[in-house]
Amino acid sequence: MTALPVPVIAIDGPSGVGKGTACGHLSSRLGFKLLDSGSLYRLVGLACEWDGVSLDDDAGCTEVARALDASFEHANGRLRVWMNDREVSALIRTEKAGQDASKVAVNQGVRDALLDWQRHAAKWPGLVADGRDMGTVVFPNAGLKIFLDASTEERARRRHQQLLDSGQSVTLAAVLEEMRERDVRDRTREAAPLEAAQDAKILDTSTLTLDAMLGQVDQWADEYLSNLGN
Ligand code: DC
C-alpha cells in the first residue's frame, strides 16, 4: 500500500445514515476536499439510461463508466454536478437514481473504472470521502475510518422526512421497502460489499441527535489530525 499524499478521512455506511451530512460538515469545518463517491455510481446509472444501456449489461455499463464525462463543484455545502456539459445535480438525487446506482455498483468493471477517479480526489489539504467502500477498497490506508450505522427503520424515517421536506410525496412504507432492497444489494454483492473496515470506528446513530453524531465525528477527526506527524 502506497502512502497517501494528504490526510484522508473515510466515512462509510448504508444509505440514509447521515454520511452526507457528516462528510459535508467535516469537509467545511476542516477546509478539506469532499468526495461523494455515490454520485459517481448515480452518474453511471443515468449515463446508461441516456445511452440506452441496460443496467444488467456488465460490459456495456463498464464502457459507460470508463467514458464518464462529469465535473463537480462544491459551493456553500452543496454539490453541483454536470455530465456531458448538462447540469444533473437534481436528476441524480431521485430515489430511482439511487436504486439504479446500487444496481450498476454490483459490477466489478464499473467499480474498477471509477477507482482512479476516486483516488485522484485525495488532494491538498486533505479529503473527506463518503461511500460504501472508502475504508475497505478505495482508501484502505486512510488515517481515520468511520462506519456510521443505524436501524433500517430509523434511516427510512429520516429519508422519508427529507423527501417530504423537499416536496416529494411518498409513503414511509415505500421508502422502507426501497431501503431494504438497496441494503440487501449493497451488503451482499460480491464486489466491495458494504462493510466496516476492521480498523473503523463504528458509530450507531439510531438514537443519537444530529449534534451528538457530528460531535463524535469531530472529536475523532480532531484526535486523528492532532496525532499526525507525531
Ligand atoms: O451514497 P449514495 O446513496 O449516493 O449511493 C448510491 C448507490 O451507489 C449505493 O446504493 C451503492 C453505490 N455505491 C457504492 O457501491 N459504493 C460507493 N462507494 C458509493 C455508492
Side-chain angles (χ1 to χ4, degrees), residues 131-150:
R132 304 288 188 292
D133 61 343
M134 297 297 98
T136 50
V137 175
V138 181
F139 300 110
N141 43 1
L144 172 61
K145 301 177 186 177
I146 297 174
F147 190 89
L148 297 179
D149 212 347

Side-chain angles (χ1 to χ4, degrees), residues 15 19 36-39 41-42 93 98 101-102 105 111 118 130-134 159 182 186 189:
S15 52
K19 296 184 307 285
D36 171 11
S37 61
S39 66
Y41 292 92
R42 287 170 183 262
R93 289 295 147 210
S102 167
R111 306 198 72 85
Q118 296 173 81
D130 167 342
R132 304 288 188 292
D133 61 343
M134 297 297 98
R159 172 62 57 83
R182 190 132 77 97
D186 291 350
R189 67 183 179 216

Side-chain angles (χ1 to χ4, degrees), residues 43-76:
L43 284 169
V44 174
L46 183 61
C48 286
E49 189 182 322
W50 284 2
D51 292 356
V53 174
S54 159
L55 299 182
D56 51 22
D57 171 358
D58 282 0
C61 291
T62 300
E63 271 315 302
V64 169
R66 286 194 184 133
L68 200 64
D69 174 9
S71 56
F72 299 83
E73 184 188 289
H74 282 106
N76 308 321

Side-chain angles (χ1 to χ4, degrees), residues 149-216:
D149 212 347
S151 67
T152 322
E153 289 71 19
E154 177 56 19
R155 287 184 288 119
R157 198 191 59 72
R158 293 178 194 168
R159 172 62 57 83
H160 182 234
Q161 191 58 51
Q162 267 177 0
L163 291 170
L164 293 183
D165 290 346
S166 69
Q168 301 187 49
S169 78
V170 52
T171 65
L172 178 60
V175 175
L176 184 59
E177 175 66 27
E178 287 218 33
M179 197 160 268
R180 287 210 170 107
E181 198 187 308
R182 190 132 77 97
D183 271 2
V184 168
R185 199 183 301 111
D186 291 350
R187 288 182 199 270
T188 59
R189 67 183 179 216
E190 258 176 55
L194 167 68
E195 61 187 355
Q198 276 189 345
D199 50 350
K201 295 183 185 296
I202 296 177
L203 184 61
D204 189 320
T205 70
S206 304
T207 60
L208 292 185
T209 61
L210 181 60
D211 280 351
M213 188 259 276
L214 296 178
Q216 178 61 79

